[in-house]
Structures are given as C-alpha cells and as structure tokens.
Amino acid sequence: MSQSSSGASRGALPTPTSARLSVGFAWVGHSLMHIVSALFLTIVLALETEWKLSYDELIRLWTLGSFMIGLGAPLAGWLGDRWSSAGMIALFYLMTGAGAVLAGLSDGPTMLMWSLALLGLGASIYHPVGMAWMMANAENRGKAMGWLGLFGTFGVATAAVVAGSLTEWLDWRMAFIIPGVLCLGLGVVLALLMMAGVVQDRHADVKPQPAPSRGDVVRAFFVLSLTMVCAGLIFNAMQVVLPKLFEARLGGWLGGGTFGVGGLVTAVYLIAALPQMIGGVLADRHSLKRVYTLCLLVQIPMMAAVAVLSDLPLVAAAALVVIASQTQIPAENMLLARYTPDKHRGLAFGAKYILSFGAGPLAVQLVAWVYERTGEFTMLYLTLSALAALAFFAAVLLPDDRRKAEPAVEPLPAAE
C-alpha cells in the first residue's frame, strides 16, 4: 500500500466515496470474519465420522486458532492506529482466506490445526481495526454500530448453515475452500482500491466527544475488563457448543445431518439480528450503562434454562440468550469508545478482543472438559449463568455515562 493512502491527511475528512467503501468493507468483513472463524464448529461433526476421532479430540484442534484471535488483536489494533486501517483490513481478508483454503486442503489433524491457527491470526485483525475504522467515519455511532452488529450477527447466524450445507451438498473440504476464496478475492480488491487512492485512511473522529474524567476512565477500564472476559467466555462457549447441543437434544427432529443442525443454529442467531439494530438505537438514545446491564441480567436465568431444557423450549431459551448477548454489543463498544482517546482506539479495541476472544481457548477447553466427563452440557450452562451474574454485578459499578463530561481542552483528539 502506498504511504500516501495510509498516512496522508490523518486529520482530514476522507472523500465520500472512500467513507462509503470503508464502511462497506467493514460491514462485509464483520460477516465474513464470523462465518469463516466458525466454519470448523459445524464441519467437525463430519470429521468425527471421516477421521474416526472423538468430538473432544477434534474440537481441541481449534484451541490454537481461537487463541490467535485474541493474541493478535492488540498488535493489529496498534498497526491500524500507526500504519493503515484499510491496509490491515486487506490483510485480514487475505490471511483468513488463505487459512480457510489451507484448512480445506488439510490431510490430517496437524495440518488442520496450523491452518486454523493462520485463519485465527487473520481473524484477529478484524475487530480492533474494523470497528475503529468504521467509528472514525460514522456520524451516528449507535446506528452505525447497530448495522455493523447486524452484519456480524448475520455472519454468526449463517456460519453453521454455510458449513453444514456445503459439507452435506459437496464435502467438508469445499465448506472451507469456497468461503476462503471469497475472502481472498475481497482482499485483493481492497488492496487495489487503496493503491489507486480510492480508499483512504482516517485517524480522527468525524464527531469528537468531550473528555471523561480520569476517575471515570480508570473505573470503566477495570469494570469493562472483567465484563468483557465474562462476555467472551459466554459468547465463545455458546458458539462452540450450540451445534453439538442441538444434535444431542434435538437430533430426532433434525434428521441426523449437519444441514439440519446448522440450519437451526442459523435460525437462532438470525433471530438476534433485529434486536441488535434496536440495541444500537437504544445506545444512541439512552444510558449505555443501563442498556448494557439489562442485557447481562437477562442472560442469567436464560442460560440456566438452557442447561435443563430440551425440544422447543430449549430453542426459545437459546434464542433469548443470543438476543441479549448480541443486543449488548453496540452499548459495550460505545462504552469502550466513550472512555478511550480516538488516536488509541484501535489499540483499545485490540485490548478488548484479547480479553473477549482470548477467552476462546478457555471456552473450547471448558466445553471439551465438560463433555469428556459428563457426556452433556448441563454443568457448562450453569457455569455460564454464574459468569453472566458476575458480569452483571460488575457492570452496575460503571460510571454514569449520561453525566455531563468535562469539556475537552483540545478539539482533537476527543479525549486524553
């Protein structure tokens, strides 16, 4: 990428075309990040039969990949701040695409594990860079975050059905390769647009915010660190286990194939798409703290219900958990932006995702450990319910974001 496209005009507004393309690539990237990084969670059901390995042995192959999603986030955010947000997103598309294609070409567990690790490292780029990139171009942050969340929810929702349908209609290898080729193609297009100067970087907010007090920044840092770890464990464990949970408790309804399991997981996550848009609107109009804490509160009883229910009540409870967890995301991201200087926002989002997605390996190991010892997931969901309760009580201690903030001395950056 040319230095002029990444480093020039850091304080200047991008062209309207650049802003629109930046938002578009950020939205599509959010969908593809969640699709590609979750393909294995459904494909693993087919590998149990083909490779003659147990579920707990196979699901552990994703441990390193899920760890890389968290580990790479701070460096990706720092590079997005210091070098080029658009360049890092192009790299995200290329690395995740390459990892997925190599996973589809794997001839055994070892190659698959390292391919998934490359995929995870590429996926680590998206959240810290893509969200900061989009926020810098957004005038109405809540609405923009709602749309970003909608694309992310679509990715989470369709990952299982994409993997399940491609596995059933073609084979598990094509279930990796086809999405991987799509990512590679988009990465090449974005790189070419950057070299042509059509897509430009922006490193300062369109609408700066007044600075919060130092005390509120410190308190928000400690509270959000805890709540984001809990939310990361809940999200990752839920995403890892839902296909297997539905296969175990609803297998008679779904015909025993990966397509039926994947389709039901997709339906559950699609239900959460509209509430996440509503969450973005609520975050613009109401207290971020209130929206955030209420979403955490709802998850406590619903997670406990998932632990013991089956059939349609299980699907309903799982849907409510996903709705609440997805609705809280715009408020959580806006709280993080509220208490972070805009010039360090990529690094801040990187720190967030080393906490939340860094919880991924712990979630994978927790799922495998519980299933290995009990053969089912009641204990897992009771543990997740307790984590939701811990996050709720911590979130109550957040500063009041509707309180008048101290005026910033300098117009940019918005906060120091």
Side-chain angles (χ1 to χ4, degrees), residues 259-282:
F259 178 67
V261 172
L264 188 55
V265 172
T266 293
V268 166
Y269 279 102
L270 281 178
I271 290 170
L274 181 59
Q276 187 161 177
M277 282 296 300
I278 295 171
V281 174
L282 291 174

Side-chain angles (χ1 to χ4, degrees), residues 320-366:
L320 287 173
V321 169
V322 174
I323 287 171
S325 67
Q326 297 298 299
T327 303
Q328 82 189 29
I329 292 175
E332 181 176 86
N333 288 327
M334 290 176 69
L335 280 166
L336 186 60
R338 171 77 177 85
Y339 297 106
T340 305
D342 63 327
K343 65 182 180 181
H344 299 308
R345 192 163 295 135
L347 183 59
F349 276 110
K352 168 186 172 173
Y353 284 97
I354 199 171
L355 292 174
S356 56
F357 280 101
L362 294 177
V364 172
Q365 290 298 317
L366 179 62

Side-chain angles (χ1 to χ4, degrees), residues 194-250:
M194 285 189 66
M195 288 188 287
V198 178
V199 171
Q200 305 151 354
D201 278 306
R202 189 182 196 286
H203 293 265
D205 290 350
V206 171
K207 294 181 71 174
Q209 300 180 104
S213 70
R214 181 176 294 275
D216 283 355
V217 170
V218 172
R219 179 148 53 116
F221 170 78
F222 284 109
V223 171
L224 288 173
S225 294
L226 177 58
T227 60
M228 290 187 300
V229 167
C230 293
L233 282 167
I234 291 169
F235 173 84
N236 282 282
M238 188 79 173
Q239 189 178 26
V240 167
V241 80
L242 209 54
K244 187 65 176 178
L245 181 72
F246 283 169
E247 182 192 53
R249 298 192 188 176
L250 299 168

Side-chain angles (χ1 to χ4, degrees), residues 272-291:
L274 181 59
Q276 187 161 177
M277 282 296 300
I278 295 171
V281 174
L282 291 174
D284 269 336
R285 298 182 180 180
H286 301 284
S287 164
L288 298 174
K289 175 181 176 179
R290 184 174 301 173
V291 174

Side-chain angles (χ1 to χ4, degrees), residues 78-301:
W78 184 82
L79 287 171
D81 288 336
R82 297 288 179 175
W83 172 55
S84 168
S85 297
M88 289 301 293
I89 293 299
L91 189 60
F92 146 74
Y93 279 117
L94 294 171
M95 288 181 67
T96 52
V101 170
L102 289 172
L105 299 175
S106 296
D107 57 4
T110 300
M111 182 177 175
L112 179 58
M113 180 188 70
W114 288 110
S115 300
L116 292 173
L118 176 62
L119 188 158
L121 184 60
S124 74
I125 297 171
Y126 179 78
H127 284 97
V129 180
M131 289 187 172
W133 190 33
M134 195 208 70
M135 277 195 173
N137 288 281
E139 293 193 24
N140 191 332
R141 283 183 174 174
K143 183 177 180 181
M145 285 302 303
W147 277 103
L148 186 72
L150 181 65
F151 275 80
T153 300
F154 175 79
V156 173
T158 55
V161 75
V162 167
S165 58
L166 288 175
T167 299
E168 196 154 306
W169 298 339
L170 299 173
D171 60 34
W172 68 267
R173 294 184 184 279
M174 297 308 296
F176 276 123
I177 291 172
I178 291 174
V181 169
L182 176 59
C183 287
L184 286 170
L186 287 169
V188 171
V189 170
L190 179 54
L192 291 174
L193 288 172
M194 285 189 66
M195 288 188 287
V198 178
V199 171
Q200 305 151 354
D201 278 306
R202 189 182 196 286
H203 293 265
D205 290 350
V206 171
K207 294 181 71 174
Q209 300 180 104
S213 70
R214 181 176 294 275
D216 283 355
V217 170
V218 172
R219 179 148 53 116
F221 170 78
F222 284 109
V223 171
L224 288 173
S225 294
L226 177 58
T227 60
M228 290 187 300
V229 167
C230 293
L233 282 167
I234 291 169
F235 173 84
N236 282 282
M238 188 79 173
Q239 189 178 26
V240 167
V241 80
L242 209 54
K244 187 65 176 178
L245 181 72
F246 283 169
E247 182 192 53
R249 298 192 188 176
L250 299 168
W253 290 22
L254 303 175
T258 57
F259 178 67
V261 172
L264 188 55
V265 172
T266 293
V268 166
Y269 279 102
L270 281 178
I271 290 170
L274 181 59
Q276 187 161 177
M277 282 296 300
I278 295 171
V281 174
L282 291 174
D284 269 336
R285 298 182 180 180
H286 301 284
S287 164
L288 298 174
K289 175 181 176 179
R290 184 174 301 173
V291 174
Y292 192 47
T293 53
L294 285 175
C295 289
L296 289 169
L297 180 62
V298 168
Q299 293 174 64
I300 301 170

